[in-house]
Structures are given as C-alpha cells and as structure tokens.
Amino acid sequence: MTNIPSSSSTFEQFGANAGTGPDPSWKWEDSRWRAIVNKVRAGPSLKPKQWPGGARVAVALSFDSDHETVVLREGGASPGGLAIGEYGARVGVPRIRRLLAKHDIRASFFVPAVIAKLYPKQQRDLVEIGHEIGIHGWIHERNNNLDPEVERELTRRAADVLAETTGVEPVGIRTPSWDFSEYTLEIIRDMGLLYDSSLMADDEPYELIEDGQPTGIIELPPEWIRDDYPYFNMDRFSGLRPHTSPRTVLDIWKDEFDLAFEEGGLFLLTMHPHIIGHRSRILMLQELIEYISSSGKVWFSTHAEIASYVKSLASTAEIVEG
Amino acid sequence: MTNIPSSSSTFEQFGANAGTGPDPSWKWEDSRWRAIVNKVRAGPSLKPKQWPGGARVAVALSFDSDHETVVLREGGASPGGLAIGEYGARVGVPRIRRLLAKHDIRASFFVPAVIAKLYPKQQRDLVEIGHEIGIHGWIHERNNNLDPEVERELTRRAADVLAETTGVEPVGIRTPSWDFSEYTLEIIRDMGLLYDSSLMADDEPYELIEDGQPTGIIELPPEWIRDDYPYFNMDRFSGLRPHTSPRTVLDIWKDEFDLAFEEGGLFLLTMHPHIIGHRSRILMLQELIEYISSSGKVWFSTHAEIASYVKSLASTAEIVEG
Amino acid sequence: MTNIPSSSSTFEQFGANAGTGPDPSWKWEDSRWRAIVNKVRAGPSLKPKQWPGGARVAVALSFDSDHETVVLREGGASPGGLAIGEYGARVGVPRIRRLLAKHDIRASFFVPAVIAKLYPKQQRDLVEIGHEIGIHGWIHERNNNLDPEVERELTRRAADVLAETTGVEPVGIRTPSWDFSEYTLEIIRDMGLLYDSSLMADDEPYELIEDGQPTGIIELPPEWIRDDYPYFNMDRFSGLRPHTSPRTVLDIWKDEFDLAFEEGGLFLLTMHPHIIGHRSRILMLQELIEYISSSGKVWFSTHAEIASYVKSLASTAEIVEG
Amino acid sequence: MTNIPSSSSTFEQFGANAGTGPDPSWKWEDSRWRAIVNKVRAGPSLKPKQWPGGARVAVALSFDSDHETVVLREGGASPGGLAIGEYGARVGVPRIRRLLAKHDIRASFFVPAVIAKLYPKQQRDLVEIGHEIGIHGWIHERNNNLDPEVERELTRRAADVLAETTGVEPVGIRTPSWDFSEYTLEIIRDMGLLYDSSLMADDEPYELIEDGQPTGIIELPPEWIRDDYPYFNMDRFSGLRPHTSPRTVLDIWKDEFDLAFEEGGLFLLTMHPHIIGHRSRILMLQELIEYISSSGKVWFSTHAEIASYVKSLASTAEIVEG
C-alpha cells in the first residue's frame, strides 16, 4: 500500500480500511474506538479572562514558508514548480515583512529546515526584528506517514538547523502534515516544546491530553477556514484552483475576527508566502490588518508569546471556564 | 469489487455497471427499469392547507452530529481528523444551543450511537430542553452498502442506544448515507418509525410508496442545496474545500425560504455542528434565523412534530392536492 | 479498456492515447490531424439579418428532462439517486411550465425515451401547449461510446417513442453525450432531422459540414456557460457541488444575453428540470426571463422554429456574412 | 509508468517518487536538492526605473491560441471537443482582434504550429497589424515529458512553421506545459531566443540563471492568477467547471493591476481565445482594458518589445535594485 494521498473523498482521507474491509469499525468493541478517540484529546479551554495590556482579542498571524519544499518533498525537480516556490522567498516574504513592519506586528514563521538552509539570512533577519521561527519539518515531509524513529530524527534535526541558523531555539511546531502520527505528541513532549499549532478541536488555546493525561503542551488551533491555501492554491491537474476571490475571503476572515473579538478570544491566521504574497492577495491582507487594528484593544503577538501567556495563567487558574 | 466510493463523476455514483458493462441498461426490458424506479417512490404531496397556529411556513432545522464518526466510520485514527470532529461537540453544539435558545426554537439532532455514547450528557440536555434526537446509524456506517441483516441490526441497536441515553424513543431517522439500500424502507417500517429524512423527491413532505404500496412512513425531504456540507466541507486531498462563502450561502438559503414562504410549504435545513459551528458560519445562521423570524407566521418545529402533523392530516384529507 | 469516464483532467477527456502512447500525435503527418479536424466542421454562420417580427434577438430555452435516467443509464438502482431524478418530473417540470406560461414562452424539451414512457402525459401536455419535444437518446446512454449499429438503433427507437407518445415526429436532437461519435452525423442525416443542438463551435446557428461536404443539418450551439449543470450539479463523491450561487449565474447569463442582443444574435440556454427546478433557482430563472423580456424585441421560440427559420434563409442567402 | 497527469493533488504534480518511495527526499544530501534548485533560477529583478514614454506600468496581454490542439495533442478526435477549439479561431480571435484594435493595443499570440497550419491567414493578419506571434510547441505537446531530441526538434520545427507562415522569426516562447524539462533552457538558448514566458518566480521580468550561470534569456513571468483558464475552464469529468464568475475575476485582475501600477512594474495577462472569447468574458476583458487605460501612463506592448527593453537596460544597469 502506498502512502501517496489519492484524490480521494473525505470518507477515505482519515481511514485505512474505509469501513468496508475485513475489520469494519461498526464491528468494533466500544473500548477500541474509545482508545482511538482518547489518544490525543483537548483539555479545557485556556481562553484567558483577558489578554495582556487589557486587549480584548489576541491575533496570531503565522506564515508557513514552504517555498521550494512543495516540490522537493516529493523528490520533484520541475523548474516550473520550483519557480512558484522561489516566488515565496523572493517576492512573498519581503512584501509580508514590509506589511508587518508598517503595522508594527510581530508574527510567527514556520520554516522547514531545507528552506532555512536555502535562505538563512531571511530567517535571521526575521528573528532580528522580533518575529518567531517555528519548526515545520525537515523538507516538509509527511510526518504522519513516517516510521517513528525517522519522524523523531527529522523533527530534532529540523529544530537544530533553525537554532543554528537564527541563534534562537524554536519552542513551537506546526507539523508539516497538519496532523499527528501515533508518535508525534510523544516526540514533541520529549523535545520539551511549549506548543503545537496543528490540531483544530477549538478556536481557543487548550492543553493537549494524551491517553487521559495532561501533557503540558499548549495547542494553538489553526483552521482551514483561516488558511489561505484552501481558497487560493492552484493545482493544474485537479479541481484545486484559485476560485475563491480574495475579497470574498476577506469577508470570511472579517467574520471570523468579529466573533473572536466579541468572545474575547484568539484569532489565528495561517498563510503561505508563495500564496498570500501575490499582489491581489497582499492587498487583501493589508485591508484585513487595517480592519483588525481599527477595532482597537488588539494584542498582535507571536504564537510563542500567546502559548506562554495562556500556559502561565493555566497554572494559576486565571482562565475562563470552558 | 470494493465499496469505497471513488472520486468518481455523477455518472458513476449510482450505478454498478456504468452502462457499458456486459449488462448495459439500454438493453433492458421496460419491466426491469420500471421495477427499479417503483421500488421506493413518492406518494402525493402532504403539504397541508395550513400549518399549526395559522403559520404560513414550517421551518425544520436539523443538525447531523457526526463529530468523530467522520474518522471512525473508516476505521481511521488521525488525531487531526478526530480533533475536527471533537470541535463539533465541544464548540459547535454549544454555540448552536445558545442560538436556538435565544430564538426559542426547537430543532432535531440526528446522532450516531457512538456519538451518543461519547457525549451522553449533551444528548440528554438537548432532549431536556425540547429538541429531538433522531437515528443516524451506529458509527455513521454506509447503510446502503451493508448486508441487510447488518443494516437492520445496527439501525435497531442505534435506536436502543438513543432511547437508553435520552429516555426517549426515537421516531425518525436520517440514514447515514442519505440513501436507502434495497432493504432500508422495510427495516424502517418494521421498526415502526414515523418518518425518514433522507430522500429528495420533493420540497414538501410525502408518503413513501414501496413497490406501489403506501407504507405510512412520512418522508421529510432534505436537499443538498439546504445543507452546509456541500458548500463548506474541507477535504485536503480532493477539490472539496470551503469555497462558497457563508454570505453567498445565506443568499441561497434566503431564496429557498422565500419561495417556501410564498408557497406556504416546508423549509428544511440540514447542518453539521463541526461545519456550521465555526464563527463565520454561526454568524450567518444567526442572520438567517433572524430573517426567517422577521417574516412572521413561522412554525419552527422538530421533524417529529412536522411529520406527525402532516400524517394526521393525511388520514383526514386536509392536504393540498399535489 | 473501459469506457467509464475517469475523473480525469481536460487533457485526457478527448483522447485515446494521451499524446504519450506508442502513437503520439506529434508524430502524425499533417494529413492525419487534418482528416480528424475536417470530420465534422462548422459552415458559415447562419445568423440572420433579422429575426421574425423584427426581433433583435432570438431566445431559445431548452430543458433536458434527464430525471431518473441519470441513475438508470448506469444500471443503478439507488433510491436516493432516483428520488433526485423524480424531483425533476414531479416538482421541476410543473414549476417550469407555470413560469413559461406566465410569460407566454414556448420552449424545447429534450426527453430520453425511457422518461417519455415513465411520464407520457407530461410530454403530451407540453406538446399540446406549444412546446417542442426533441430526441435525447433512449436511456441517456453515452451515444459516443456505442457501436454504430447500436447508436443508430437507439436513436431511431427513441424518435419513435417520442412520436408515439406525443403524436408529433421530433425534428431535432440533443445527443445525450453532448458529443458525436464517428457515426452520429451520418445517423442524424439518414433520419432526416432538421437540426442538432450538441456542438459548440459558435454562438450562432451554422450548417454542419462533414468531410468538407455541406449536410443541410443545422447546428444550434449550446454552451456550458449557458447550462445550469456545471454550476449547480451536486456530486457527493467528487468536487462537483452547488458552488456557484444562482445570483452569480444570473449575472453571467445576463452578460451572455446582453452581447447576444447587441450582436442581434441567438441566446440559447440549456437547463435540467431536476437542477433548475429548485426554489432558489427557479426564482433566478424568473428574474432572467423578466430581464430578457424587458429588453423588448425578443423572439422566444423553440429550437425547431429557429432552425427552420435560419435554414430557409440560408437557401436564399439572407444571412449575415460570417 | 505513464506520463499522463493523473487527477492528483498538488503534492504529486511535481514529483516522481512522492517522498515515500525507495528514495525519499528527506534522505537526500543537501548537495542533491541544492543542485535541483539551482538548475533553473531567477536572477535579479529587471524591473526598470521607468517604462518607455514615461509610462508608469507595462501591460503585456497574451493569448495562447490552443484551439483544436487541446484535443489533438492527446490523439483525440471528439467532434464536440474539436468544436470547442474551433470556437477559439472562429469566434474568439475575431472578437479579441476587434477589441484590441478599438483600444489600439498590440499583444502577443502564442500559437502551436498545427494551429498556424490550420489558420495561416489568421496568423499573418495578426502580424500585419502589429501583433506578435510566439512559439507554443508543435501540437501543444507536453514538452516537459519528451525525450530531449524530440523536444528540440519539435520546438525548432514549430519556430520554422511560424516564420514561414508569418514572414517573421519568432523571438519568444511560452512552453506548452508552462514548465521546463531538464533540457528546455538549453534548447531555448541554442535557438537564440530573446525570452521565455512560462516560469513564475516573480511578477517582474528577470534573467534566467542556469546552474549558477546567467543565460541572457529574459523571463516574462505569467501567473495562473492572471490566466483565464483556472477560473473558467470546463472539464466535464472532473471538478473543473466555469465556477468563478467573470465579474469576480475582473476584481482580481484589477487588484493585480492596481499594485503593479503602484509598484511601477509589469502587468502580464494570459488568456485563451476559446475561453476568453465568449460573450460574458469578452465584456469583462473590455471593462478591464478600459479600467487599465483610464489609469493613464500605461505602456501596452508585446512580450517581445518588453523583453527587448528590459534586456537593453540590464546591460546598462538602468534597472531598479531587486
């Protein structure tokens, strides 16, 4: 059996036997599906009573700097595909930097080790002006399909490369697959990371629970609704094309922000420099940032600082009951 | 041959031999396709002359609480996928409850047995405040692909779990596949259910006819046009991504409602807590409910009450001629 | 090799060897691809200098009454799929009839023989009030994949069923595949049909040319841009879902009409009762018809009358030079 | 292994071993992925300090005249598919010509040799009124999948056909695959071409670097965001349907232009006569051109002239630092 994700329906994306093989899940004892569900689970919401400086909402902007690894992870060598990735480093990141600087925002960049090696100065410069660099795998490998020792080794080596490149130890990870293998949480815990930002069980930060036990790892949930990729990614050979307009996505993201503001919670956005960096999209991001800023009482911060803040409160019970 | 639905076109989704195998349907005698068509058929429309309390339109909101079964039905164990399901129970249902309470609306939740076991209190609480819990399979298995005795057993056991959990016998079903097998109607009839809500032959309630014989089972037709899933579902590996904006869907649903109101008929909406429960979407649902409420003369009710009402009229011929 | 259309890209949909097999087309002599191109070709535009009654634009509304054949053509038996088809005959056609009657419009319905047999009265009634019934295959078989003798036999038998059912010989066809086999044009010619409405080489009517020879058959070109199916069709297992809103499609169709009006040409629309017949869509069609009507000087007519008109002019050279 | 692009996800489109085969890229030495990345790379931006005539922005409109080769490249013979291609030559190109003439714009047409042979007068006429004809392969073959000697031979022969047809030697190419093989850049260099317009590493012109060495070839980057195909292409058997409305695409293209104008850069648009030539789309293109023109200080020009201009500046260092 191959690990290549086929152009399959939702029904297939998460399962091995599709419910119709020799071991369909409708035959399972309750204990079996309960064990699966409890493997990684969300603890209580860590939404704080208030954010630092009296802010009403926390805004966490993140950028996954995949660039050329979109091609390289597959062992590909297409000059066309690589150029699309190069655009991210060459055009996307500089535009993003200027926009963030203009609004005095610090953000988080999740960077595969191979990209840090290709563009070390770009990562150093980002750290120097206050942005965070987080782990995003070695070459954007599919971490949830690897042997556990390979996943562990690549994650550790990736962290080392980032530390060597920027002079700062990374404290957080966004897994390249936006998913965990059976071993990911253990690896992250063993590495002593502060937070992960890959799982989507809430809009607010929460603690990850493994087999019923608190892990101390903070989850900062991303969401595909607040990700540029599902709306804008172009895939020549399938149905994935840039078919939702930036102006429409702006409306969706404003709505997501509005309720986060009303609830006094977290608004976390994930973007990709080679996607969002294009002219018609960076204009939209600029408009979104202006919209958010104009609401006042906003704490723009890095993932690391937000995780650190809610973790410190968690231990002193300053959180809102979920 | 596998039962896994492939990423196939419409042309393939309903057929076994694709019209080009050794037994293409253009060779069939008329009696053969007539028997297939007559297996399950719509009886006369049961649209009443008027709705209770002089209401001009009936509004049936339903929520399919699939949650973690989206992963489990396939025998999957992805922490990422399970977290997406967990969001439905953890964030989606509470938001929906608050919204319904604010507008004093009772609705129907179709809940797989495994979800009732994972979140029993949530189901009990829903029943306590007047909502309906209906059958939605054991683990969201594909009911139309099972052996008849398995389908029968799982449907009965699912009903038992719901009754034990909530203290109320379910009277209706939405089949997990939104489709019948050759045996589904017989199973439903034998269980003495009042209604099904899976088939789409009309906008208005109708009686299901089996091989030309009335069954007494009421069909409350759902429609994908009035379902959140086709517009918002995110499938990483295929073309299914959240690409229609909530504001656009709001327009579609308003239009669907407007003509239902003008016709004096039924407006039935299907949603999923892990889909509609997100910030940008719950805002839209709130706006839709306000729009519907402002039209006046609306009967918000559960599926069970609507089915019961039109069935009582049917036997006394108070219905409008189709 | 199977005839089942795979979920393939455009690049594959028309070809047998995908340009990379043992006989790639970049190796072909010019004579070979010229013969392929010339097999069926568009003659000069038959856009008339003016339309009957001094109308500035001709509007041809057509409805492909596929109904249950979407399932039956594949040898399928899904009650869910058949109910979706039943909706077309039960709800869609009556709504369409009322709308056309309100605006005094005659239109063309292309009806598979099996549907004429299932709903004979519906077809007779349509003819009685002035609508046209055209050929649309036996059971919506894929005409371009059949052996020539089968295609010929099914097309003839389909015409016979329509004639017996309605009392009127059909004079036109929309091929079920919206495509020709190598033999389709010869079959149509031998049957003495007036027109086809399946090929898309122009916006205006034209004469079909076969191997360089005029055939006397009029082509009334449909277009997927002016078809409800690509925008609204729901396919559970692929990326085809109702994702373009009716209000957006209304804008596209208005734009298509506007330039047809400006050019003094033909505006031809294809719809499907089980697609367009839904509440949110029939409202849109109503608005489109009101928009078109308000432009004045419009000739709403059947395909047969339009084909007959331009053919009569063609023989007397009253057409505009292409 | 076949070369047919499967309906695969982005992850697969560029790679041979999908990262999970016997030689996954996470095992590679750094030197290996570095060599791949450096094969074809972008040199410094060639955005000039100003455009000719004091223009603030350069606008390069291009049309890929694929027409019937969409079918022929695959060895296909579908009359339906060929008619769709014929529309491009018969209806699309004349509408485009009239629109360009009205606004006195010269543009670039990239034309496969087979199309030049099918419609030689159309190409000659275009050249006569000042438009450019560029190379676009022989029969729109997938250039990145061919043996190097075949790719070289077809590219050369294609150039010869264009020169013979129009009397003008082509100086630029848009590769049919919008991608390079390992050999494409060498072939282009050996042919002495001025520019390529297939790779997307920037919004501005740049010089192509091969294995670290400047090549003197100018890249004028296209982008799928500024291409009509991803938004409008209709593929019956996959999810690719005309689902983004022209009015929405107009907004996206206006935004792309606005920032190009603000930056004083290049706005390059790619279209296809059989796609953009339709009524509802040509109206949109007309509105875009009016919008661009009204901004003033616009240099509408051919690709060849723009490449020539930036190349001449490059050698005298009149460019803006990247």
Side-chain angles (χ1 to χ4, degrees):
Chain A
M1 189 174 156
T2 170
N3 287 323
I4 304 175
S6 63
S7 172
S8 56
S9 78
T10 300
F11 303 126
E12 289 156 274
Q13 80 176 277
F14 299 120
N17 70 8
T20 51
D23 182 29
S25 58
W26 47 259
K27 277 191 181 169
W28 293 359
E29 295 295 312
D30 290 4
S31 57
R32 186 159 165 200
W33 53 257
R34 280 192 194 278
I36 289 172
V37 168
N38 286 329
K39 180 71 193 169
V40 180
R41 195 92 177 142
S45 169
L46 296 179
K47 188 172 79 168
K49 287 182 186 161
Q50 69 167 36
W51 296 100
R56 184 171 174 83
V57 66
V59 175
L61 304 185
S62 56
F63 300 91
D64 291 5
S65 297
D66 300 345
H67 306 341
E68 288 89 345
T69 61
V70 174
V71 176
L72 294 173
R73 66 183 275 174
E74 309 302 333
S78 150
L82 289 165
I84 291 168
E86 190 179 0
Y87 185 97
R90 177 185 175 90
V91 182
V93 172
R95 281 195 181 135
I96 291 163
R97 272 191 56 172
R98 285 193 295 271
L99 179 59
L100 296 177
K102 188 177 159 191
H103 293 270
D104 201 20
I105 295 170
R106 279 167 311 115
S108 299
F109 292 76
F110 295 95
V111 182
V114 160
I115 295 302
K117 283 168 168 256
L118 258 177
Y119 305 98
K121 184 169 184 306
Q122 193 165 70
Q123 318 315 320
R124 274 195 301 273
D125 289 353
L126 287 169
V127 166
E128 202 156 284
I129 56 179
H131 300 299
E132 177 194 6
I133 304 286
I135 302 168
H136 200 42
W138 179 259
I139 199 168
H140 211 285
E141 67 280 1
R142 289 194 188 83
N143 62 285
N144 61 335
N145 276 342
L146 300 173
D147 289 336
E149 65 275 21
V150 173
E151 185 183 3
R152 181 178 295 263
E153 157 77 2
L154 290 175
T155 310
R156 281 186 186 276
R157 271 207 288 149
D160 291 346
V161 167
L162 297 185
E164 286 157 25
T165 306
T166 68
V168 180
E169 284 284 346
V171 300
I173 186 171
R174 174 161 296 141
T175 58
S177 299
W178 286 43
D179 201 354
F180 282 9
S181 73
E182 209 179 323
Y183 312 97
T184 308
L185 186 46
E186 186 187 309
I187 293 168
I188 291 174
R189 221 177 42 214
D190 290 351
M191 288 174 69
L193 294 183
L194 170 64
Y195 76 90
D196 169 73
S197 183
S198 310
L199 304 180
M200 309 184 180
D202 205 325
D203 296 317
E204 304 299 339
Y206 57 84
E207 185 177 358
L208 287 170
I209 310 297
E210 185 167 24
D211 295 325
Q213 299 302 312
T215 63
I217 311 278
I218 306 299
E219 179 61 47
L220 298 179
E223 229 304 313
W224 286 313
I225 297 171
R226 299 183 306 268
D227 178 5
D228 58 353
Y229 212 81
Y231 304 109
F232 301 139
N233 184 45
M234 165 74 190
D235 181 348
R236 296 185 70 176
F237 303 118
S238 84
L240 306 179
R241 303 202 159 192
H243 53 275
T244 310
S245 84
R247 296 184 186 190
T248 299
V249 174
L250 179 62
D251 284 340
I252 297 172
W253 289 356
K254 281 181 176 175
D255 286 345
E256 286 283 315
F257 172 78
D258 283 350
L259 195 46
F261 188 85
E262 190 183 316
E263 296 176 347
L266 169 67
F267 176 76
L268 187 154
L269 203 57
T270 304
M271 292 160 287
H272 299 75
H274 75 285
I275 301 279
I276 202 75
H278 283 281
R279 285 166 172 159
S280 49
R281 297 162 183 173
I282 204 81
L283 283 176
M284 176 272 263
L285 179 58
Q286 178 178 308
E287 194 173 332
L288 178 72
I289 287 175
E290 287 165 2
Y291 178 82
I292 290 174
S293 300
S294 73
S295 72
K297 297 200 264 181
V298 179
W299 185 43
F300 283 103
S301 194
T302 64
H303 284 43
E305 283 173 342
I306 291 171
S308 184
Y309 179 71
V310 300
K311 186 167 184 177
S312 70
L313 293 185
S315 51
T316 57
E318 285 290 328
I319 55 166
V320 173
E321 290 292 309
Chain B
M1 190 173 157
T2 171
N3 286 323
I4 304 175
S6 63
S7 172
S8 56
S9 78
T10 301
F11 304 126
E12 289 158 274
Q13 80 174 279
F14 299 120
N17 69 9
T20 51
D23 182 29
S25 57
W26 47 261
K27 278 192 181 169
W28 294 358
E29 295 295 311
D30 290 4
S31 57
R32 185 159 165 200
W33 53 257
R34 281 192 192 278
I36 288 172
V37 168
N38 286 328
K39 181 70 194 171
V40 180
R41 195 93 178 139
S45 168
L46 296 179
K47 188 172 78 168
K49 287 181 186 161
Q50 70 167 34
W51 296 101
R56 184 171 174 82
V57 66
V59 174
L61 303 185
S62 56
F63 300 90
D64 291 6
S65 297
D66 300 344
H67 307 342
E68 288 88 345
T69 61
V70 174
V71 175
L72 295 173
R73 66 183 275 175
E74 309 303 333
S78 150
L82 290 164
I84 291 168
E86 191 179 359
Y87 185 97
R90 176 184 176 90
V91 182
V93 171
R95 280 196 182 134
I96 290 164
R97 271 191 56 172
R98 286 194 294 271
L99 179 59
L100 295 177
K102 188 177 159 192
H103 293 271
D104 201 20
I105 295 170
R106 280 167 311 113
S108 299
F109 291 75
F110 295 94
V111 182
V114 159
I115 295 303
K117 283 170 168 255
L118 258 177
Y119 305 99
K121 182 167 184 311
Q122 193 164 70
Q123 318 314 321
R124 273 196 300 272
D125 289 353
L126 287 170
V127 166
E128 203 156 285
I129 56 180
H131 299 299
E132 176 193 8
I133 305 286
I135 302 167
H136 201 43
W138 179 259
I139 198 167
H140 211 283
E141 67 279 1
R142 288 193 190 85
N143 62 285
N144 59 336
N145 276 342
L146 300 173
D147 289 336
E149 65 275 20
V150 172
E151 185 185 3
R152 182 178 295 264
E153 157 77 1
L154 290 175
T155 311
R156 281 186 186 275
R157 270 207 289 149
D160 290 347
V161 166
L162 297 185
E164 286 157 25
T165 305
T166 68
V168 180
E169 284 283 345
V171 301
I173 186 170
R174 174 161 297 140
T175 58
S177 300
W178 285 44
D179 201 353
F180 283 9
S181 73
E182 207 179 326
Y183 312 98
T184 307
L185 186 46
E186 185 186 308
I187 293 168
I188 290 174
R189 221 177 43 212
D190 290 351
M191 288 174 69
L193 294 182
L194 171 63
Y195 76 91
D196 169 72
S197 183
S198 309
L199 304 180
M200 309 184 180
D202 205 326
D203 296 317
E204 304 298 338
Y206 57 84
E207 185 177 358
L208 288 169
I209 309 297
E210 185 167 24
D211 295 325
Q213 299 302 313
T215 63
I217 311 278
I218 306 300
E219 179 60 48
L220 298 180
E223 229 305 313
W224 286 312
I225 297 171
R226 299 182 306 268
D227 178 5
D228 57 354
Y229 212 82
Y231 304 109
F232 300 139
N233 185 47
M234 165 73 189
D235 180 349
R236 296 184 70 177
F237 303 118
S238 83
L240 305 178
R241 304 205 157 188
H243 53 275
T244 310
S245 84
R247 296 185 186 189
T248 299
V249 174
L250 179 61
D251 283 341
I252 298 171
W253 289 356
K254 281 181 177 176
D255 285 345
E256 286 283 315
F257 172 77
D258 283 350
L259 195 46
F261 187 84
E262 189 182 317
E263 295 177 346
L266 169 68
F267 176 76
L268 188 154
L269 203 56
T270 303
M271 291 160 288
H272 300 75
H274 75 284
I275 302 279
I276 200 77
H278 283 282
R279 285 167 172 159
S280 50
R281 296 163 183 173
I282 204 81
L283 283 175
M284 176 273 262
L285 180 57
Q286 177 178 307
E287 194 173 332
L288 178 72
I289 287 175
E290 286 165 2
Y291 178 82
I292 290 174
S293 300
S294 74
S295 73
K297 296 198 267 180
V298 180
W299 185 43
F300 282 104
S301 193
T302 63
H303 284 44
E305 282 173 344
I306 291 171
S308 184
Y309 179 72
V310 299
K311 186 166 185 178
S312 70
L313 293 184
S315 52
T316 57
E318 286 290 328
I319 55 166
V320 173
E321 289 292 308
Chain C
M1 189 173 157
T2 170
N3 286 324
I4 304 176
S6 64
S7 172
S8 56
S9 78
T10 301
F11 303 126
E12 290 157 275
Q13 81 175 278
F14 300 119
N17 71 8
T20 52
D23 182 27
S25 57
W26 48 261
K27 278 192 181 168
W28 295 358
E29 296 293 313
D30 290 4
S31 57
R32 185 160 165 199
W33 52 257
R34 282 193 192 278
I36 288 172
V37 168
N38 286 327
K39 180 69 194 172
V40 180
R41 196 90 177 141
S45 169
L46 296 178
K47 189 172 78 167
K49 287 181 186 162
Q50 71 166 33
W51 296 100
R56 183 171 175 83
V57 67
V59 174
L61 303 184
S62 55
F63 300 90
D64 291 5
S65 298
D66 299 345
H67 306 342
E68 288 89 344
T69 61
V70 173
V71 175
L72 294 173
R73 66 182 275 173
E74 308 303 334
S78 150
L82 290 164
I84 290 168
E86 190 179 359
Y87 185 97
R90 177 185 175 90
V91 182
V93 172
R95 279 195 182 136
I96 291 163
R97 271 191 56 172
R98 285 194 295 272
L99 179 59
L100 296 177
K102 188 175 158 192
H103 293 270
D104 201 21
I105 295 170
R106 279 165 313 114
S108 300
F109 291 76
F110 295 94
V111 183
V114 159
I115 295 302
K117 283 170 169 254
L118 258 178
Y119 305 99
K121 184 167 182 307
Q122 194 164 70
Q123 318 315 320
R124 273 195 301 272
D125 289 353
L126 288 169
V127 167
E128 204 157 283
I129 56 181
H131 299 299
E132 176 193 7
I133 304 286
I135 302 168
H136 201 43
W138 179 259
I139 197 167
H140 210 283
E141 67 280 359
R142 289 194 189 83
N143 62 285
N144 59 336
N145 276 342
L146 300 173
D147 289 335
E149 65 274 20
V150 172
E151 185 184 4
R152 182 178 294 264
E153 157 77 2
L154 290 175
T155 310
R156 281 186 186 275
R157 271 208 288 150
D160 290 347
V161 166
L162 297 185
E164 286 157 25
T165 305
T166 67
V168 180
E169 285 283 345
V171 300
I173 185 170
R174 174 162 296 141
T175 57
S177 299
W178 285 43
D179 201 353
F180 282 8
S181 72
E182 208 179 323
Y183 313 98
T184 308
L185 186 47
E186 184 187 311
I187 293 169
I188 290 173
R189 222 176 45 212
D190 290 351
M191 287 174 68
L193 295 183
L194 170 64
Y195 75 91
D196 169 72
S197 183
S198 310
L199 304 180
M200 309 183 180
D202 206 325
D203 296 317
E204 304 299 339
Y206 57 84
E207 184 177 358
L208 288 169
I209 309 296
E210 185 167 24
D211 295 325
Q213 299 302 312
T215 63
I217 311 279
I218 306 299
E219 180 60 49
L220 298 179
E223 228 305 315
W224 285 312
I225 298 171
R226 299 183 306 268
D227 178 5
D228 57 354
Y229 212 81
Y231 304 108
F232 300 138
N233 185 45
M234 165 74 190
D235 180 349
R236 295 185 71 177
F237 303 118
S238 85
L240 306 178
R241 304 204 157 190
H243 53 274
T244 310
S245 84
R247 295 183 186 190
T248 299
V249 174
L250 178 61
D251 284 341
I252 297 172
W253 289 357
K254 280 180 176 176
D255 285 344
E256 286 283 316
F257 173 77
D258 283 350
L259 195 46
F261 187 84
E262 191 182 314
E263 296 176 345
L266 169 67
F267 177 76
L268 186 154
L269 203 57
T270 304
M271 292 160 287
H272 300 75
H274 75 284
I275 301 278
I276 201 76
H278 284 281
R279 284 166 172 159
S280 49
R281 297 163 183 174
I282 204 83
L283 282 175
M284 176 273 262
L285 180 57
Q286 178 178 308
E287 195 172 330
L288 178 71
I289 287 176
E290 287 165 1
Y291 178 81
I292 289 175
S293 299
S294 74
S295 73
K297 297 198 266 181
V298 180
W299 185 43
F300 282 103
S301 192
T302 63
H303 284 44
E305 283 173 342
I306 292 170
S308 184
Y309 179 71
V310 300
K311 186 166 185 179
S312 69
L313 294 184
S315 51
T316 58
E318 286 289 330
I319 55 166
V320 173
E321 288 293 306
Chain D
M1 190 172 157
T2 170
N3 286 323
I4 303 175
S6 64
S7 172
S8 57
S9 79
T10 300
F11 303 127
E12 290 157 274
Q13 81 176 277
F14 299 120
N17 71 8
T20 51
D23 182 29
S25 57
W26 47 260
K27 278 192 182 169
W28 295 359
E29 295 295 310
D30 290 4
S31 58
R32 185 161 165 199
W33 52 257
R34 281 193 193 277
I36 289 172
V37 167
N38 285 328
K39 181 70 194 171
V40 181
R41 195 90 178 144
S45 169
L46 296 179
K47 188 173 79 167
K49 287 182 185 162
Q50 71 166 33
W51 296 100
R56 184 171 173 82
V57 66
V59 175
L61 303 185
S62 56
F63 300 90
D64 290 6
S65 298
D66 300 344
H67 306 341
E68 287 89 345
T69 61
V70 174
V71 175
L72 294 173
R73 67 182 275 173
E74 308 303 334
S78 151
L82 289 165
I84 291 168
E86 190 179 0
Y87 184 96
R90 176 186 175 90
V91 182
V93 172
R95 280 196 183 136
I96 291 163
R97 271 191 57 172
R98 285 193 295 271
L99 179 59
L100 296 177
K102 188 176 157 192
H103 293 269
D104 201 21
I105 295 170
R106 279 165 313 113
S108 299
F109 292 75
F110 296 94
V111 182
V114 159
I115 295 303
K117 284 169 168 255
L118 259 177
Y119 305 99
K121 185 169 182 307
Q122 194 164 71
Q123 318 314 321
R124 272 196 301 273
D125 289 354
L126 287 169
V127 166
E128 203 156 283
I129 57 181
H131 300 298
E132 177 194 7
I133 304 286
I135 302 168
H136 200 42
W138 179 259
I139 198 167
H140 211 283
E141 66 281 358
R142 288 194 189 84
N143 62 285
N144 59 336
N145 276 341
L146 300 173
D147 289 337
E149 65 275 19
V150 172
E151 184 184 3
R152 183 178 293 264
E153 157 77 2
L154 290 175
T155 311
R156 282 185 185 276
R157 271 208 287 150
D160 291 347
V161 166
L162 297 185
E164 286 158 25
T165 305
T166 68
V168 179
E169 284 283 345
V171 300
I173 185 169
R174 174 161 296 142
T175 58
S177 299
W178 285 43
D179 201 353
F180 282 8
S181 73
E182 207 179 325
Y183 312 98
T184 307
L185 186 46
E186 185 187 310
I187 293 168
I188 291 173
R189 220 176 44 212
D190 290 351
M191 289 174 68
L193 294 182
L194 170 64
Y195 75 90
D196 169 71
S197 184
S198 311
L199 304 180
M200 309 183 180
D202 205 325
D203 296 317
E204 303 299 340
Y206 57 85
E207 184 177 359
L208 288 169
I209 309 297
E210 185 167 22
D211 295 324
Q213 299 302 312
T215 63
I217 310 278
I218 307 299
E219 179 60 48
L220 299 179
E223 229 304 314
W224 286 312
I225 297 171
R226 299 183 305 268
D227 178 3
D228 57 354
Y229 212 82
Y231 304 108
F232 300 139
N233 184 46
M234 165 75 190
D235 181 348
R236 296 184 69 177
F237 303 119
S238 84
L240 306 178
R241 305 204 157 191
H243 54 274
T244 310
S245 83
R247 295 184 186 191
T248 299
V249 174
L250 178 62
D251 284 341
I252 297 172
W253 288 357
K254 281 181 177 177
D255 285 345
E256 287 283 315
F257 172 77
D258 283 351
L259 196 46
F261 188 84
E262 190 183 316
E263 295 176 346
L266 169 67
F267 176 76
L268 187 154
L269 203 57
T270 304
M271 293 161 285
H272 300 76
H274 75 285
I275 300 279
I276 201 74
H278 284 280
R279 283 166 172 160
S280 49
R281 297 163 184 173
I282 204 82
L283 283 176
M284 176 272 263
L285 179 58
Q286 177 178 307
E287 195 172 331
L288 178 71
I289 287 175
E290 287 165 0
Y291 177 82
I292 290 175
S293 299
S294 74
S295 73
K297 297 199 266 181
V298 180
W299 185 44
F300 283 103
S301 193
T302 63
H303 284 44
E305 283 173 342
I306 291 171
S308 184
Y309 179 71
V310 300
K311 187 166 184 178
S312 69
L313 293 185
S315 52
T316 58
E318 286 289 329
I319 56 166
V320 174
E321 289 292 309

